[in-house]
Amino acid sequence: MKNWLEVSSMDRWWVDNVKVVDPVADRVFDGSLCVQDGLIAELREGPAPEDAPRLDGEGLHLAPGLVDLHVHLREPGFEEKETIESGSRSAARGGVTTLCAMPNTNPVCDDGPRVSYILERSAQAGFAKVLPVGAITRGSEGRELADLGEMHYEGACAFSDDGRPVSDSGVMRRAMELGRTWDALIMSHSEERSLSEGGQVHEGAMSAKLGLEGIPREAESIAVDREVRLSRLTGARLHLCHLSSGSSVEILRRAKADGLKVTGETTPHYLLLDDSAIEGYDTHKKMNPPIREKSDQEALVAGLCDGTLDAVATDHAPHTEIEKNVEFAYAPFGVIGLETSLAAVLTRLYHSKLMELPRVLALMSSRPGAILGGNAGSLEPGSPADLCLFDPEEEWLVRAEDMASRSRNTAFEGMTLRGRVRATFLNGSPVYRRTMDEGKENEVFTPAKRMQESAS
Ligand SMILES: [Zn+2]
């Protein structure tokens, strides 16, 4: 048996003694996996060959690295909240190997050079594959289309004005028509601003009780409905971001039944929390769209179980303590999520016996991977050896102070979650691992050399 440092410098080696979770084949089995030159070379039932260099997986579960469709890395412009480097470390700690970086930085990622800047910076960091999302409109101001073709050429994985809706339907239509020519993915932050403006939390009994301005479900579902109609009109591939309400799930369900190329995601915080969580005016429960009612939570879970919703993404949105530590009305929207997403989703869907492990992992790896195209989220030989080694049973207490993210605004502070990442591999390199040395936890982050070499 080899140790972790040895394997990262070897050309061919095995992870042995693992329970393989294959979300595409929809099964879990005792097996081993061979890594060669940073790629998955072989997957087999049973142990690795006797004479081959092997790494002991300690009976842990091995799955494809997680693919997160919705992350805010804040660099350039808001480095006090997060950087590409700190956000990538945070991803590695959460088992996430590929993530989509939203363009609402300063400057907004709305042209080719800005797309390549993010690709370079993340390769230099070497902890996760960061796929830049290009803005739909210049400066995300909603008026003039950005140069989608140029950004696509430089490597943008999708287009979105996330953080802001594209309010002008004609502009959105033109973006979809243009994107359609190369089958681009349009990600929609669906929000009807005339209904959400000034709102702080979900509009309902709780907002009335707390005396906070509400945001009705319709602020989301009316916008979702428009996007679906525009997708039908243009034939564009549409992805609906951070869905929070049962009514939106219903629209997506119908769109899929009609055969439209529409997909949707929800986030861990909508699955674990409902609007009773805001009772103490905790700004770490303030996000946009807001956490809604128990019935919405149940509709989202049902949407994941019946395949209407395709993915769970984090909407990782770092904000500093200074910004969040203010009166509720003045706090920014958003919570971090990269380091807690697997545990949160396992706790909500797997440990409650609603879903088997491969299906849970599919929502967080192979299905978002398929939405992006390419080979992320797969254990297919020939795919990059981006892997997540985890213990689905380990219970742990979420503590903001332990986070690798530069920000501390988790919505799950103090919660005990079940399921925890032990190690993350990127292109076959162990970029994150957690060990127990004499009863003390030890975490090691090591950048993947292959990523860094490609950057230099
Ligand atoms: Zn958004």
Side-chain angles (χ1 to χ4, degrees), residues 9 11 51 71 114 122 135 171 213 218 236 244 263 286 301 310 352 357 361 395 419 427:
S9 62
D11 289 338
D51 49 346
V71 173
R114 288 171 191 157
S122 60
V171 171
E213 185 106 19
E218 288 70 13
S244 68
T263 54
K286 180 176 176 179
V301 168
D310 299 86
S352 63
L357 267 185
L361 268 297
E395 291 194 351
N427 293 340

Side-chain angles (χ1 to χ4, degrees), residues 67 69 238-240 243 252 256 261-266 300 303-313 359-371:
V67 178
L69 293 173
L238 169 69
H239 179 72
L240 299 163
L243 295 182
L252 176 58
K256 285 193 163 176
K261 291 186 278 184
V262 183
T263 54
E265 77 195 21
T266 188
L300 293 165
L304 290 167
C305 289
D306 73 11
T308 300
L309 287 165
D310 299 86
V312 179
R359 290 204 54 214
V360 173
L361 268 297
L363 294 169
M364 306 184 77
S365 60
S366 57
R367 287 177 72 187
I371 289 170

Side-chain angles (χ1 to χ4, degrees), residues 37-58:
D37 300 320
L39 305 176
I40 296 170
E42 199 181 325
L43 183 64
R44 64 159 72 174
E45 287 190 43
E50 276 293 336
D51 49 346
R54 284 170 298 159
L55 186 70
D56 185 0
E58 298 174 42

Side-chain angles (χ1 to χ4, degrees), residues 70 72 162-164 189 241-242 288-289 315:
H70 201 124
H72 298 273
D162 187 57
R164 292 168 123 178
H189 170 116
C241 296
H242 44 56
N288 183 27
D315 196 5

Side-chain angles (χ1 to χ4, degrees), residues 148-384:
L148 308 190
E150 182 191 75
M151 288 190 281
H152 170 71
Y153 179 77
E154 292 297 336
C157 68
F159 300 97
S160 180
D161 275 358
D162 187 57
R164 292 168 123 178
V166 178
S167 298
D168 187 313
S169 304
V171 171
M172 191 55 138
R173 174 190 181 167
R174 285 199 297 281
M176 286 188 180
E177 277 170 348
L178 180 60
R180 167 93 172 77
T181 57
W182 68 90
D183 201 29
L185 181 67
I186 303 287
M187 293 179 160
S188 164
H189 170 116
S190 309
E191 179 181 351
E192 172 50 52
R193 277 279 164 94
S194 60
L195 291 172
S196 62
E197 200 75 63
Q200 300 290 322
V201 296
H202 170 65
E203 181 176 302
M206 186 55 73
S207 65
K209 182 178 167 189
L210 299 178
L212 293 170
E213 185 106 19
I215 302 172
R217 288 183 189 92
E218 288 70 13
E220 177 178 274
S221 55
I222 286 174
V224 163
D225 192 48
R226 183 200 77 169
E227 308 298 48
V228 168
R229 286 169 190 277
L230 289 176
S231 158
R232 188 193 302 269
L233 174 67
T234 59
R237 211 147 60 84
L238 169 69
H239 179 72
L240 299 163
C241 296
H242 44 56
L243 295 182
S244 68
S245 73
S247 44
S248 298
V249 175
E250 197 43 51
I251 296 169
L252 176 58
R253 190 173 282 125
R254 267 184 276 129
K256 285 193 163 176
D258 289 350
L260 301 184
K261 291 186 278 184
V262 183
T263 54
E265 77 195 21
T266 188
T267 76
H269 39 272
Y270 303 129
L271 299 175
L272 270 75
L273 304 172
D274 61 63
D275 66 348
S276 64
I278 56 170
E279 183 136 35
Y281 296 92
D282 178 0
T283 56
H284 293 95
K285 308 289 191 303
K286 180 176 176 179
M287 56 282 278
N288 183 27
I291 326 169
R292 301 195 186 274
E293 295 171 26
K294 198 82 198 165
S295 58
D296 294 286
Q297 190 194 104
E298 280 160 11
L300 293 165
V301 168
L304 290 167
C305 289
D306 73 11
T308 300
L309 287 165
D310 299 86
V312 179
T314 59
D315 196 5
H316 178 84
H319 292 294
T320 62
E321 298 226 293
I322 299 166
E323 290 171 290
K324 277 287 193 182
N325 196 11
V326 294
E327 216 179 294
F328 200 90
Y330 300 109
F333 293 100
V335 293
I336 57 172
L338 283 166
E339 292 162 68
T340 46
S341 60
L342 179 62
V345 177
L346 286 174
T347 302
R348 184 66 178 88
L349 298 179
Y350 173 63
H351 292 299
S352 63
K353 302 206 165 27
L354 286 168
M355 217 182 254
E356 295 298 324
L357 267 185
R359 290 204 54 214
V360 173
L361 268 297
L363 294 169
M364 306 184 77
S365 60
S366 57
R367 287 177 72 187
I371 289 170
L372 293 171
N375 48 16
S378 160
L379 293 178
E380 188 73 19
S383 309

Side-chain angles (χ1 to χ4, degrees), residues 12-15 32-36 39-44 385:
R12 186 181 169 92
W13 50 277
W14 291 75
V15 195
S32 51
L33 180 144
C34 179
V35 176
Q36 182 167 356
L39 305 176
I40 296 170
E42 199 181 325
L43 183 64
R44 64 159 72 174

